Every structure is written in structure tokens, then in C-alpha cells.
Amino acid sequence: MAKKILIVDDNKDILDIVHETLSYENFEVLATSENHGIIEKVTGFNPDLIIIDYRLGNINGGEICQQIKQLPGFENLPVIIFSAYVNKPEDLFDYGCNAVIDKPFDLTELIDKVNNLVN
């Protein structure tokens, strides 16, 4: 059975390329640009990994990561945060994420980090 990945990014171009890349790598992918209802998407889709953009309108991906990690049964769910706006990406680990990818990013780096976290 394919591993499931939820992608949340308000940049449609990034969303499309990450969705296409991970689908090609045989993951089941749910991609959304909506920053509301994410908790419901997580509990409904039950992903093996979440990739979330740091900047999502009125909330940041780090705060959403914290909310997800507080859900019963999702404490150990791997989360990758994308960011183009943080001067010190290591600070993002304070939110509880498992990896950080700086934008712009290399697709090989993305695939490697995803595979390391879900396998």
C-alpha cells in the first residue's frame, strides 16, 4: 500500500510540482492550498507525512505543525516545513517538525527527505 502524503502550500506552482513529483514516486498525495480545515484533512486522510509551507496567510505552518503533533495518535507523524522567509531555518524545529526544506529547493532533496521520514 502506498504511503500517504498531505501537502499544504498556498503557492499553486509549488503545490503542483511537489504533487506531481511525489505521485511519480508512487506516493498517494493529497494537496491543498487551503489553510483552514487542515486538522480535519489530517484526521480524515491519515497521512504518513505532512509537507507544509511556513507562510500560510493568517497562520504559519509551524503553528499548524504544533497543533497536529498535539492530536492523539499523531504525535509522531513526520512533518516537513517549507520556507523561503526564515533567516535561521533551524529555528523551525522549535515547532516540532522533523525536517526543513528551504525554498527554492531541489526535487532530489525533497524526495530524499520524504523517503528518510516515511521508510
Side-chain angles (χ1 to χ4, degrees):
M1 190 164 138
K3 298 280 185 171
K4 299 193 290 186
I5 299 175
L6 173 63
I7 308 165
V8 184
D9 198 313
D10 56 2
N11 181 315
K12 180 93 168 89
D13 293 334
I14 290 174
L15 201 62
D16 289 345
I17 195 158
V18 173
H19 184 280
E20 183 177 322
T21 300
L22 294 176
S23 294
Y24 181 79
E25 294 292 320
N26 296 314
F27 292 103
E28 182 181 338
V29 180
L30 174 62
T32 183
S33 60
E34 299 293 321
N35 65 356
H36 63 279
I38 293 173
I39 299 300
E40 291 79 12
K41 282 183 176 57
V42 170
T43 57
F45 185 58
N46 195 23
D48 296 292
L49 173 80
I50 297 174
I51 301 172
I52 191 164
D53 188 26
Y54 181 71
R55 285 227 173 143
L56 290 170
N58 60 349
I59 189 167
N60 73 51
E63 292 167 350
I64 294 170
C65 176
Q66 286 178 322
Q67 292 174 13
I68 292 166
K69 297 278 188 164
Q70 292 172 0
L71 294 172
F74 291 91
E75 304 89 349
N76 298 316
L77 177 65
V79 176
I80 297 173
I81 295 180
F82 276 148
S83 178
Y85 302 102
V86 176
N87 292 332
K88 295 191 281 183
E90 61 273 7
D91 290 347
L92 295 177
F93 287 101
D94 293 343
Y95 289 108
C97 69
N98 301 83
V100 175
I101 296 178
D102 292 323
K103 291 180 181 177
F105 57 90
D106 180 77
L107 289 175
T108 303
E109 174 192 10
L110 171 70
I111 294 166
D112 287 346
K113 285 192 178 186
V114 166
N115 282 322
N116 286 335
L117 289 169
V118 298
N119 292 322

